[in-house]
Amino acid sequence: FRRIPFIETFEHELTHAVAALLFFRRVTGFRVRGGSGAVQHVGGFGGRLGDDFIGLAPYVLPTFTVVSVLVRPLLGPAWFPWFDAWIGFTFGYHLWSMLNETRQAWTRRAFPSATDGEVTQSDIARRGFIYSFIYIVTVTISIHGVVLAILANGYSGVPPWAREVWDMTQVFAVAVWDQAVVVADWARKSLGR
């Protein structure tokens, strides 16, 4: 267990690198030293959205779980009970490390970079705490929902899950709009306009 900080840091930086590759960005540096690490990348696309996904990926993307879910269809049915236990283990590890890493990164405190020793902030602090909170919650629910839909119903389970999320989002948006109209009417009457 003394090695877990190294494993956790390695997985954290690996997730940054995988996310960079998803945006067709060439990874030019990968360093893990003790409890700190860094990934450098260039090129690709995605702009600010890509930068945010890459920067916050370790908090939302269960790398080992996603790889395991993608490998699962290649295995025979005899593997499923054991392999599903492995997927559960990787998912549990991601949840544990996500909470641990988020707690550690939720600070304004600066620290030396693993690459050049230059003082830097955490991934979360660089993007702002409110934005990071909303992003992490929203993207975590989305990615974890897709993974769980695949595990529960196979790849064909994703479209019904997406439809349900879309329907619930529309209901939520209408409710928020209705409340905004009520507040606006109240404010207009209160101000005598």
Side-chain angles (χ1 to χ4, degrees):
F1 284 168
R2 283 184 236 145
R3 287 237 177 258
I4 284 183
F6 173 80
I7 294 169
E8 191 175 354
T9 303
F10 177 80
E11 189 262 342
H12 181 99
E13 300 307 329
L14 178 65
T15 305
H16 283 305
V18 167
L21 294 173
L22 289 174
F23 283 89
F24 300 105
R25 298 184 184 194
R26 187 169 53 94
V27 175
T28 59
F30 185 95
R31 173 173 283 187
V32 175
R33 187 177 356 162
S36 65
V39 168
Q40 287 120 358
H41 56 84
V42 295
F45 72 96
R48 168 109 192 247
L49 174 67
D51 292 341
D52 289 343
F53 186 79
I54 294 165
L56 296 174
Y59 309 101
V60 300
L61 183 64
T63 308
F64 297 141
T65 305
V66 169
V67 169
S68 298
V69 167
L70 293 174
V71 167
R72 188 175 186 264
L74 305 175
L75 302 174
W79 282 86
F80 286 171
W82 301 106
F83 199 72
D84 288 349
W86 165 253
I87 291 172
F89 174 78
T90 63
F91 197 60
Y93 169 78
H94 168 72
L95 292 174
W96 173 79
S97 68
M98 177 193 68
L99 292 172
N100 191 36
E101 291 174 25
T102 302
R103 183 181 52 79
Q104 290 174 3
W106 206 272
T107 180
R108 294 189 191 282
R109 182 180 50 84
F111 58 91
S113 169
T115 53
D116 55 12
E118 192 173 307
V119 175
T120 187
Q121 290 183 307
S122 71
D123 301 320
I124 291 173
R126 263 182 265 153
R127 283 161 183 80
F129 296 107
I130 294 172
Y131 176 81
S132 293
F133 175 78
I134 293 168
Y135 183 93
I136 289 169
V137 168
T138 304
V139 177
T140 295
I141 290 170
S142 299
I143 291 174
H144 291 192
V146 169
V147 168
L148 292 172
I150 291 170
L151 287 174
N153 300 312
Y155 291 103
S156 63
V158 175
W161 173 85
R163 274 192 300 280
E164 183 68 25
V165 169
W166 176 251
D167 292 345
M168 289 172 31
T169 302
Q170 287 178 316
V171 168
F172 178 74
V174 167
V176 168
W177 179 259
D178 290 346
Q179 289 304 310
V181 169
V182 168
V183 169
D185 286 343
W186 174 83
R188 196 173 25 255
K189 289 176 185 173
S190 296
L191 295 173
R193 293 184 182 184

